Amino acid sequence: MNLSINKQLQIHRPQFSELHSRNLSGTRKLQHPISTRNRLPPLSPTLSFSRSLGFPLCSGSDFPHWSTSSLVSRCVPEMFSDPPEPGPGPNGESVPAQVPKQKDTSIVKILRESNSFLPHVVLGSTLLALVYPPSFTWFTTRYYAPALGFLMFAVGVNSREKDFLEAFKRPAAIFAGYVGQFVVKPLLGYLFGTISATLFGLPPSIGAGIMLVSCVSGAQLSNYATFLTDPLMAPLSIIMTSLSTATAVFITPMLSLLLIGKKLPVDVKGMMSSIMQIVVAPIAAGLLLNRFFPLICDAIRPLLPPLSVLVTALCVGAPLALNIESVISPFGVTILLLVIAFHFSAFVAGYLFSGLLFHKASDVKALQRTLSYETGMQSSLLALALANRFFQDPLVGVPPAISTVIMSLMGFSLVMIWAKRKEQV
């Protein structure tokens, strides 16, 4: 019986096609010449419409039920119905049903994504330090080195030895970062230090403070900012900062003498000890832990982002709270605008400078972001310590104190902006 029906369908296919086309256009319906017992009903407009939308057609066993509701229920895709049941695969094996993935809202995912709140937390800590300074005054300068060391440890846990070896293979990028740190930035510091006295009539000590900020080495926070935006560039950023910090014992006194007219003796032994405590030892510990104890790293890695956010907020709020009297001085607003202009120019200069040098590199955008952080963020805490130790006028310490907050806010705001742009690409 099935064979005869198939043969009749093949014989009368033209008539069936004609019936189909006329039925869709709303013209008269032709009676199919097949016998009444084997006659196929006219093709439903619902079925044709479903075919035009790409819906799956019904199987042959569905043809006895020709009501509109039956066609819709059998021909509409499964995405509009209940989740599919497991069924047999092509070889007879059981194939699990594909259930739509649920959005992961686990606590681990929340902890890992806490870095996205960093700019907001930094802004909140700044406002809190201004409104209620005692909330941060307990975090004195003796805690800065361990706090920054923790951030470097977090970078080390998420890095590998070969990442640093690969970074050393880019001497041109390292040299460009060094030029941005000790050539481009001091020129900008001298420019805005001069503007503060000539255009705004501020005391010379304010200009000296701005120039002092431009003479110090790169900030470890730039390494963490780079890690959040371009993790593969973090080793390169760390090498740049370490090199500028190591040579700052010679470069900073020379630049301060050239720009300010006063030679600031820097403790070479203390500077080397600081590099070991803040950079080398924590990163080495993170790399070794990642290499020999990966299970421990996997266990602690989700906890590092929220702790890093907290530590960064403390490193931003504490200097502001400890120097609140200088910040709210009569010159505070003008100094704030000058420091913002100085850092903004440094970020832009680093970005454009590296774009010109490495425009042919495949990762030019990542290099531009890295060198922008390296040029725009510097060790303002070191400048603040030098100002308090070697200058009698307390106004010299006001620009470094404001710089600590501004460079952090601007740097981590760029982290948020660039990270979102990368997600959209």
Side-chain angles (χ1 to χ4, degrees), residues 170-180 184 240 349-364 367-368 371 375:
R170 309 188 73 164
I174 296 174
F175 180 72
Y178 196 82
V179 170
V184 176
M240 292 178 184
Y351 190 86
L352 297 179
F353 173 66
S354 55
L356 292 175
L357 291 179
F358 305 103
H359 63 279
K360 294 184 178 180
S362 58
D363 54 352
V364 59
L367 275 174
Q368 285 183 278
L371 289 172
T375 308

Side-chain angles (χ1 to χ4, degrees), residues 133-151:
S135 58
F136 289 99
T137 51
W138 61 271
F139 196 81
T140 57
T141 54
R142 63 177 178 176
Y143 296 117
Y144 291 166
L148 295 174
F150 173 78
L151 296 179

Side-chain angles (χ1 to χ4, degrees), residues 86-96 98:
N91 297 326
E93 72 276 8
S94 178
V95 178
Q98 294 183 354

Side-chain angles (χ1 to χ4, degrees), residues 48-166:
S48 301
F49 180 69
S50 67
R51 175 186 291 175
S52 66
L53 292 181
F55 291 166
L57 296 177
C58 302
S59 60
S61 60
D62 292 328
F63 278 105
H65 309 281
W66 287 102
S67 65
T68 304
S69 60
S70 174
L71 283 171
V72 173
S73 63
R74 293 174 180 273
C75 299
V76 173
E78 295 175 349
M79 64 179 292
F80 295 101
S81 60
D82 294 332
E85 297 292 335
N91 297 326
E93 72 276 8
S94 178
V95 178
Q98 294 183 354
V99 181
K101 294 183 179 179
Q102 299 293 331
K103 187 177 180 180
D104 186 10
T105 57
S106 63
I107 186 64
V108 175
K109 180 178 172 56
I110 295 174
L111 291 175
R112 287 175 177 172
E113 295 182 350
S114 59
N115 283 327
S116 60
F117 298 101
L118 187 57
H120 309 85
V121 173
V122 170
L123 178 60
S125 64
T126 302
L127 297 176
L128 183 60
L130 290 172
V131 176
Y132 188 66
S135 58
F136 289 99
T137 51
W138 61 271
F139 196 81
T140 57
T141 54
R142 63 177 178 176
Y143 296 117
Y144 291 166
L148 295 174
F150 173 78
L151 296 179
M152 293 301 99
F153 172 77
V155 175
V157 167
N158 291 277
S159 303
R160 295 170 295 179
E161 300 92 331
K162 68 176 185 179
D163 296 333
F164 288 89
L165 296 177
E166 290 294 328

